[in-house]
Amino acid sequence: MTIFQRIRNILIGLIMILIGLIFLINPSDEAYILVIGVLFLGLTIKGIKDIIFYITMARHMVGGKIILFQGVVLLDFALLTGSLSNVPKIYILLYLVLINGFAGIVEVLRALESKKEVDGPWKMKFSHGIVNFILALSCLIFIRHNNTALIIYSIGLIYSAIMRIINSFRRTTFILIE
């Protein structure tokens, strides 16, 4: 990771913490629209970024089509998220449960695969996956409360920002194949 990438990750992490704290301090109905807007914008940017990366470089790589599929799926999730602005909050909460649960399971599986294959920072991936899964379970437990989705989204956003900042200070590991 270059110095510019490290600084960019730290700045993005700080902005994520700020947005999470704003949502946590002011849990109102307008904040739900902002959460949907932030999710829509983030998923759209990531989806378009993956599609552009596929067009410019990944189509020449082994397994590059996975990046294209990931970009298309993220773009679809962005459109679904953007259409959730006029639905009851319970549907947003269920959507949040699905996102956090799926992300948690994928992260735990990636950590376990990383533990088997390479000696590296698998513990941080594992803990991140467990926290995502706990957030999904807490959404299910507190599904009847009004501001549950907003509070859990804020906690998840702050935790992801802290993980991003921690990862930007880590040394980059290289795998040498002889």
Side-chain angles (χ1 to χ4, degrees):
M1 189 180 300
T2 64
I3 293 175
F4 175 73
Q5 289 172 333
R6 291 178 195 272
I7 292 171
R8 187 186 71 199
N9 277 340
I10 292 170
L11 289 176
I12 290 172
L14 291 174
I15 291 170
M16 288 170 61
I17 289 173
L18 180 67
I19 291 171
L21 287 175
I22 289 171
F23 289 154
L24 203 58
I25 291 171
N26 186 15
S28 63
D29 288 335
E30 294 85 27
Y32 277 101
I33 303 298
L34 288 174
V35 166
I36 290 172
V38 167
L39 277 172
F40 172 73
L41 188 65
L43 290 171
T44 302
I45 290 171
K46 178 68 173 141
I48 291 172
K49 185 178 168 184
D50 284 352
I51 291 172
I52 290 172
F53 179 66
Y54 171 77
I55 291 170
T56 57
M57 184 175 265
R59 65 182 169 164
H60 304 294
M61 295 169 31
V62 174
K65 284 187 182 178
I66 292 174
I67 294 172
L68 174 66
F69 297 148
Q70 178 180 328
V72 170
V73 168
L74 285 174
L75 216 51
D76 287 342
F77 273 126
L79 293 174
L80 176 68
T81 303
S83 67
L84 290 177
S85 62
N86 295 325
V87 298
K89 292 177 185 175
I90 189 112
Y91 295 120
I92 297 171
L93 198 57
L94 290 173
Y95 183 65
L96 196 61
V97 166
L98 290 174
I99 288 174
N100 279 326
F102 182 73
I105 290 170
V106 168
E107 199 70 27
V108 166
L109 291 175
R110 283 179 56 204
L112 293 176
E113 180 183 357
S114 178
K115 181 182 177 185
K116 288 180 189 174
E117 299 295 325
V118 183
D119 292 332
W122 66 272
K123 292 177 186 175
M124 187 165 294
K125 287 181 186 178
F126 187 78
S127 68
H128 192 221
I130 294 295
V131 167
N132 275 342
F133 198 70
I134 289 171
L135 287 174
L137 285 178
S138 60
C139 277
L140 284 176
I141 292 170
F142 300 111
I143 200 162
R144 298 276 183 209
H145 295 92
N146 285 336
N147 293 325
T148 302
L150 196 58
I151 292 169
I152 289 176
Y153 177 74
S154 300
I155 292 170
L157 192 65
I158 291 169
Y159 181 74
S160 294
I162 290 170
M163 295 298 284
R164 180 183 284 261
I165 291 171
I166 288 171
N167 282 333
S168 66
F169 285 113
R170 291 186 129 189
R171 299 183 87 171
T172 307
T173 57
F174 293 99
I175 299 174
L176 180 62
I177 300 173
E178 294 181 20

